Amino acid sequence: MFRRTAAALAAAAALLLTPVLATSAATAAPAAPGFIDGTDLPPHPTSPWYADEVVKGLPEFPPICLEAGLPASGSWHRRFGTEFDTGAVQISVRSATPAAAAKLARTLERQVAACAADWLRTRPGGTASWEDYGTLPVEEGAHVYGVHTSLPESEPGVHLFGIGRDGSTVTVVQWGQMGNLSDAPVADFRRTTTTAVNKLNP
């Protein structure tokens, strides 16, 4: 009698646990979008690229020009570095809908396009400029920009931004180093941006 009762209790417990396990699997955190590797970035002439792990959330220090435009919810990021002054970061955000993602991409594009003027307003004596390097025909589209900033008695900085979307996922790749817009590897970075959007799994 005891053995039959114990077996019956075990079977009942298994039936009770099954929905709980199924619910846990269904509500598991979504996987991160696909990210580029160091080999996808514009080659550095004297150093390999080193890539950190993909991390949930925004980086501690957001990219220049996008300090306020990126939502923490649904975001992941990956940082890249070299042995010298060149660095990069990719940030991807999953929005609730494709329409919300399209709105976020437009907001980020406007912020980068206005960045040079906004930067100058808070830095008297500095110089800044920007270039629109055009759109890319990948998934729902991507756009590449360049921003140059400089302060007196300081090294100038140049930054490239690639902003693209696939479905409900938006990705931003930012590359930067000391130098001017004429030093920026625009053609290589356009390929980087295309690869970044193609690697998303929206």
Side-chain angles (χ1 to χ4, degrees):
M1 176 68 71
F2 174 76
R3 290 178 181 173
R4 285 198 299 272
T5 302
L9 289 173
L15 288 173
L16 289 172
L17 286 172
T18 299
V20 174
L21 294 175
T23 302
S24 297
T27 59
F35 274 72
I36 59 171
D37 300 312
T39 55
D40 298 318
L41 287 161
H44 191 282
T46 57
S47 170
W49 281 96
Y50 303 101
D52 290 346
E53 295 296 320
V54 175
V55 179
K56 189 169 178 59
L58 296 175
E60 181 180 1
F61 302 104
I64 183 175
C65 303
L66 296 174
E67 292 89 348
L70 290 159
S73 176
S75 66
W76 288 263
H77 74 275
R78 187 178 207 178
R79 286 197 169 275
F80 304 86
T82 65
E83 295 173 359
F84 297 93
D85 66 308
T86 308
V89 63
Q90 181 183 6
I91 302 169
S92 295
V93 180
R94 276 214 182 95
S95 299
T97 64
K103 182 179 179 181
L104 173 61
R106 290 192 298 268
T107 297
L108 298 178
E109 289 181 15
R110 286 194 298 268
Q111 289 183 341
V112 171
C115 180
D118 291 342
W119 189 89
L120 283 174
R121 274 192 282 272
T122 59
R123 294 164 179 85
T127 59
S129 59
W130 72 288
E131 289 286 347
D132 183 339
Y133 293 118
T135 58
L136 299 170
V138 54
E139 298 300 341
E140 274 70 61
H143 210 138
V144 175
Y145 300 88
V147 176
H148 165 262
T149 58
S150 181
L151 288 169
E153 301 179 4
S154 178
E155 292 289 342
V158 59
H159 308 273
L160 295 176
F161 298 85
I163 301 167
R165 180 173 72 91
D166 186 0
S168 59
T169 304
V170 175
T171 195
V172 178
V173 183
Q174 182 262 336
W175 169 99
Q177 69 174 25
M178 290 189 293
N180 301 301
L181 287 171
S182 59
D183 303 316
V186 176
D188 285 339
F189 188 76
R190 284 171 63 87
R191 286 190 286 271
T192 296
T193 302
T194 298
T195 301
V197 177
N198 276 327
K199 283 193 170 185
L200 293 173
N201 44 21

